[in-house]
Amino acid sequence: MEFGWSDDQSAYRQRVKDVLADNLPEDWEERAVHGPGSTPVTKFSFEFCKTLAAQNLLIPHWPVEYGGSATQPWNHFILGEEAWQVGEPRGPQYMNVNWIGPVLMRYATAEQQARYLPPITNGNVIWCQGFSEPSAGSDLASLRTKAEKVEGGYVVNGAKVWTSFATHADQCFLLARSGSGKEGIMILLVDMKSAGIQVKQIPALIGEGDIHEFFLTDVFVPEQNCLGAEGQAWEIISYALQNERIGIARYAFARRVLDGVIEELKADGRFDDPVIQDRAGRVLAKVEAARMMVYRVVDERAKEQPASAYGSLARYILVQADHAVADFVLEFMPSGMLGGDPLQQAHHQRALYSGIGAGAAEIQLNLAARRYLGLPSENTRGL
Amino acid sequence: MDFEQNENQTAILGGLEQLIAGLQVEAPKEGVLVAFSTRLDAELEASGFLDIAREAEFTLLDSALVVERLARLPVSAEVAFSALVGPLFPTDTVQRPFALVTANPLSPARFLTVARTLLVDKGDELLVIDVDPSQVEEVESLFAYPYGKLASLEGMAVRRMGADLATGVRRRWRLALAVEGSGLMQSAIDTVIEHVTNRYQFNRPLGSFQAIQHRLATAAGTQQSARWLALRAAWSDSEADCALAASYLQDSIPTIVYDLHQFCGAMGLTLEFPLHFWTYRLKAMLGDLGGSSAQARAAAIATWQDAA
């Protein structure tokens, strides 16, 4: 066991910090408050991701044959920590490099890879994920969007909701149903400019650009846009979600906000208050616990071990930490939420979402109970 | 960053497993509150497992892994203080087993009935007391550790040590709490998982109910968090990490202990069921070093007080 960073990792982190410092505009924090899916951050992401790509920092963990540097997984995570900590200047494109690209590398045909991967590696495309539906949220397998086989492809009808980044998205990783059960689910890579797609942003507590609904009316999707073999979609979705669950270094942003609030409390002469010290220490423990839990999952990946339910356990701890920081700020430094600190507001909005997106926290507990603890299924009967 | 055991750690823990297997350590069959094994304690001392952190080729983290493993046994021995606090003292200047108290040397202390040295954290100094067994009174308690207290200090050698050593002992005491506590939590959770898997009510295993699954999964996440914070603290041996790990551990004890007993119903109230061998040791830790708030404040101060 070893809980420190190697010299190479420290140097890599410094390099990332330098690139961020050199390339973020002076008004970045004001822009970042609007969230990764907002118009200003999304627009900036095209500029910033190209800069990262030019410095081999956009997809460093990808294999060389796909344009990456095959750097160790820890470096990719260090990059994610630093980026999320400053408000995620990669905007929606963090999702491309975290899981859209890796899923395509694993499951897409050569033709699909040739079409979809270069825009990601160039920092030039926005993806959204068409998973949730009005009647299929946590119970994703009950989705109803229908894909009907026609000559040369599929005609898709249905509705998706809670979709992040949809306004600006060029492509959608869409789940639809061509049959019954989990086996009847399929994945279609859909051009969001296709005829029959209507996107509507839903005003939300969590900022601009993160929640949409969109409707698909007789949308034609060519058959070459179908990802994976028949009946393989659930396996692909599970793989994607495993990457998504702890892919965002939420504790890093939470720690930055906590450190900032403590500095303000010190400046106000309030840090000597033992109540504040007590609460701050407890919140700090939650944040550092989340860091260690996530590192444990990254270590698993770095060693190329199969993904386990530990990610669900880590995700739950991460959500608790994010909320603990947000609540600490509300209680002891609420002025930040009233125009005093755009980052505090941004963090509050991200924290609100952290236990809902990419599988609700309670779903993570279900998964951890069954797959990590080995507790019996709710259908078990006897005695 | 590497979360897997290295070769040394695997070898140490392998040897420890052999020792445990040889001693055939198991929960007492008769219903008792306290399960302290004099034999285990003596074997551990003789085998050198408690002195690992003194060896040049091993680390404090290696020693912490020993403490964690032994905490998972249903019987206790004086392990954590010897393995993690003891190495602060030059060899042969103090004798184990240790007992530790804050402020008042006449306070009840776990392991004092077997201790040869009592360490008293008085904040700005440390008292090192060579215990005269004739002055030790046994204290009855629900806690699963043996407890005793000194009737008086009369006739006992008391060495006064400086603030640096007092600070060091306090830091390692926090580490000891965190490491031992995470091991206790793990075995307590394992015991309850077995119970809720095999105990049927309403024609279903208790563990199939979501109300129980969620709280057990939360407990598991808490235990793992406590574990990694504790092991990181053993690796860094820093004031902030040790205080943070102890704070998290103590902060987590009430909820975990409540839930685990709750899921075992009346069975968990009996002495024939072994859960208390872990949960009541956890309860004993709750008040150590002034309780979780003291550790949280110490962590906050160590992290931020001196920061620019």
Side-chain angles (χ1 to χ4, degrees):
Chain A
M1 285 179 192
E2 159 69 48
F3 301 116
W5 300 107
S6 68
D7 290 344
D8 283 350
Q9 288 166 339
S10 296
Y12 190 85
R13 185 183 295 280
Q14 190 55 52
R15 187 175 159 228
V16 173
K17 282 179 182 291
D18 291 344
V19 168
L20 289 166
D22 291 345
N23 292 282
L24 293 183
E26 282 186 9
D27 66 344
W28 167 246
E29 293 196 356
E30 283 72 27
R31 295 192 206 188
V33 72
H34 299 294
S38 65
T39 298
V41 176
T42 300
K43 282 184 177 172
F44 180 69
S45 80
F46 289 110
E47 178 187 330
F48 185 72
C49 287
K50 285 184 181 68
T51 302
L52 286 181
Q55 306 210 31
N56 289 326
L57 286 174
L58 184 61
I59 50 164
H61 58 303
W62 286 21
V64 173
E65 61 265 36
Y66 292 108
S69 318
T71 181
Q72 51 169 302
W74 277 108
N75 283 358
H76 169 61
F77 207 77
I78 288 168
L79 173 64
E81 267 190 346
E82 295 298 327
W84 192 256
Q85 186 168 245
V86 298
E88 192 49 274
R90 295 175 298 177
Q93 296 194 54
Y94 80 84
M95 195 170 80
N96 300 357
V97 298
N98 277 8
W99 73 262
I100 298 274
V103 165
L104 294 176
M105 283 185 268
R106 189 178 179 117
Y107 293 104
T109 63
E111 190 180 58
Q112 288 170 336
Q113 290 178 354
R115 178 177 171 192
Y116 294 114
L117 290 178
I120 293 178
T121 61
N122 295 332
N124 206 25
V125 65
I126 304 296
W127 281 76
C128 64
Q129 59 179 65
F131 284 17
S132 293
E133 297 182 2
S135 61
S138 293
D139 182 12
L140 187 57
S142 70
L143 64 90
R144 293 179 182 174
T145 293
K146 192 175 172 187
E148 188 181 353
K149 186 78 180 83
V150 296
E151 188 177 350
Y154 297 86
V155 170
V156 182
N157 283 282
K160 294 289 174 180
V161 72
W162 317 133
T163 314
S164 296
F165 320 137
T167 301
H168 299 291
D170 305 293
Q171 302 289 340
C172 180
F173 192 98
L174 184 88
L175 306 188
R177 178 174 294 291
S178 59
S180 60
K182 285 181 180 172
E183 295 74 22
I185 295 174
M186 63 188 306
I187 298 169
L188 296 170
L189 308 176
V190 179
D191 184 338
M192 287 296 283
K193 293 181 180 60
S194 303
I197 295 180
Q198 282 184 302
V199 179
K200 184 181 171 190
Q201 185 167 172
I202 301 172
L205 289 169
I206 60 172
E208 180 198 340
D210 282 325
I211 297 186
H212 303 80
E213 57 186 338
F214 70 94
F215 305 94
L216 302 107
T217 307
D218 294 333
V219 176
F220 177 75
V221 182
E223 61 188 357
Q224 60 265 32
N225 291 19
C226 179
L227 181 68
E230 193 175 331
Q232 198 181 18
W234 199 252
E235 172 196 328
I236 299 174
I237 296 162
S238 300
Y239 176 76
L241 288 176
Q242 281 163 359
N243 276 315
E244 179 73 341
R245 261 171 211 136
I246 55 100
I248 298 173
R250 294 182 180 279
Y251 57 82
F253 192 21
R255 177 65 195 265
R256 183 185 172 198
V257 168
L258 182 60
D259 285 344
V261 170
I262 297 297
E263 287 310 308
E264 291 180 54
L265 289 167
K266 285 165 75 174
D268 289 352
R270 297 171 61 199
F271 185 66
D272 291 338
D273 180 343
V275 172
I276 287 181
Q277 290 177 351
D278 171 286
R279 292 287 303 281
R282 291 178 200 263
V283 172
L284 177 65
K286 288 181 190 293
V287 173
E288 291 305 306
R291 180 194 302 277
M292 295 304 287
M293 292 294 284
V294 171
Y295 283 0
R296 160 70 175 71
V297 179
V298 177
D299 188 57
E300 194 176 80
R301 290 187 189 162
K303 296 188 169 85
E304 297 183 350
Q305 294 166 354
S308 71
Y310 208 93
S312 294
L313 214 56
R315 176 75 195 289
Y316 186 77
I317 297 297
L318 192 54
V319 170
Q320 303 309 305
D322 233 355
H323 279 265
V325 170
D327 291 340
F328 179 84
V329 174
L330 286 180
E331 187 168 356
F332 295 107
M333 191 57 74
S335 55
M337 288 284 291
L338 298 167
D341 189 334
L343 274 187
Q344 285 177 20
Q345 184 175 321
H347 172 260
H348 183 91
Q349 290 174 308
R350 310 288 186 282
L352 200 58
Y353 181 72
S354 69
I356 307 292
E362 287 68 27
I363 297 297
Q364 307 311 317
L365 291 179
N366 285 349
L367 294 171
R370 294 290 307 285
R371 298 178 187 172
Y372 178 72
L373 295 179
L375 289 170
S377 154
E378 63 182 358
N379 298 319
T380 307
R381 293 291 183 275
L383 296 181
Chain B
M1 204 65 69
D2 185 351
F3 282 63
E4 288 189 352
Q5 292 167 12
N6 61 31
E7 285 183 13
N8 270 354
Q9 290 158 351
T10 300
I12 291 166
L13 293 175
L16 188 61
E17 289 301 335
Q18 286 184 350
L19 183 144
I20 293 168
L23 291 172
Q24 297 181 313
V25 178
E26 55 185 31
K29 294 284 189 293
E30 69 281 11
V32 294
L33 281 169
V34 178
F36 177 83
S37 171
T38 306
R39 187 171 167 228
L40 174 63
D41 195 89
E43 289 288 339
L44 288 169
E45 179 174 304
S47 61
F49 279 108
L50 304 181
D51 291 321
I52 282 171
R54 293 183 183 277
E55 306 292 333
E57 67 269 36
F58 298 120
T59 66
L60 191 65
L61 176 56
D62 300 339
S63 197
L65 290 170
V66 168
V67 173
E68 180 196 42
R69 174 63 187 96
L70 291 166
R72 299 193 57 186
L73 297 175
V75 299
S76 67
E78 196 288 278
V79 172
F81 297 152
S82 290
L84 301 174
V85 179
L88 289 173
F89 297 86
T91 308
D92 298 332
T93 60
V94 290
Q95 288 189 300
R96 72 165 303 277
F98 294 97
L100 276 71
V101 293
T102 299
N104 180 4
L106 303 185
S107 303
R110 59 178 177 269
F111 300 122
L112 191 56
T113 49
V114 296
R116 283 182 275 188
T117 303
L118 174 65
L119 302 176
V120 185
D121 174 14
K122 292 183 74 70
D124 55 357
E125 67 171 353
L126 179 78
L127 304 186
V128 180
I129 302 173
D130 298 332
V131 175
D132 173 358
S134 70
Q135 293 282 1
V136 177
E137 298 172 348
E138 190 172 331
V139 175
E140 283 191 26
S141 89
L142 286 173
F143 299 137
Y145 292 112
Y147 268 76
K149 67 175 184 177
L150 294 177
S152 78
L153 295 178
E154 194 176 325
M156 276 182 268
V158 178
R159 283 171 279 172
R160 293 182 181 278
M161 315 298 272
D164 286 351
L165 189 56
T167 301
V169 165
R170 202 176 310 126
R171 183 181 72 249
R172 292 289 184 85
W173 187 353
R174 287 179 175 132
L175 175 62
L177 271 182
V179 174
E180 185 174 357
S182 79
L184 295 172
M185 282 181 177
Q186 182 63 66
S187 282
I189 290 170
D190 290 347
T191 302
V192 173
I193 285 174
E194 185 179 349
H195 177 78
V196 300
T197 301
N198 297 315
R199 168 77 171 159
Y200 279 64
Q201 290 288 277
F202 306 105
N203 200 34
R204 291 169 56 179
L206 288 177
S208 70
F209 289 93
Q210 197 178 51
I212 290 175
Q213 290 192 345
H214 278 196
R215 281 155 68 185
L216 275 176
T218 303
T222 301
Q223 187 279 329
Q224 286 293 296
S225 297
R227 177 173 200 247
W228 294 120
L229 286 176
L231 295 180
R232 184 178 73 168
W235 171 80
S236 73
D237 196 22
S238 76
E239 296 292 339
D241 283 351
C242 291
L244 207 62
S247 164
Y248 189 90
L249 187 278
Q250 287 183 312
D251 203 20
S252 307
I253 288 171
T255 300
I256 282 201
V257 169
Y258 171 80
D259 276 358
L260 295 184
H261 274 277
Q262 199 66 18
F263 300 152
C264 296
M267 181 55 75
L269 304 179
T270 69
L271 294 183
E272 72 176 271
F273 194 70
L275 184 59
H276 69 286
F277 290 132
W278 296 287
T279 54
Y280 271 71
R281 281 195 267 167
L282 283 167
K283 285 194 179 197
M285 292 179 167
L286 195 50
D288 273 14
L289 286 153
S292 64
S293 178
Q295 276 42 265
R297 282 179 276 130
I301 290 168
T303 303
W304 290 302
Q305 187 76 293
D306 300 325

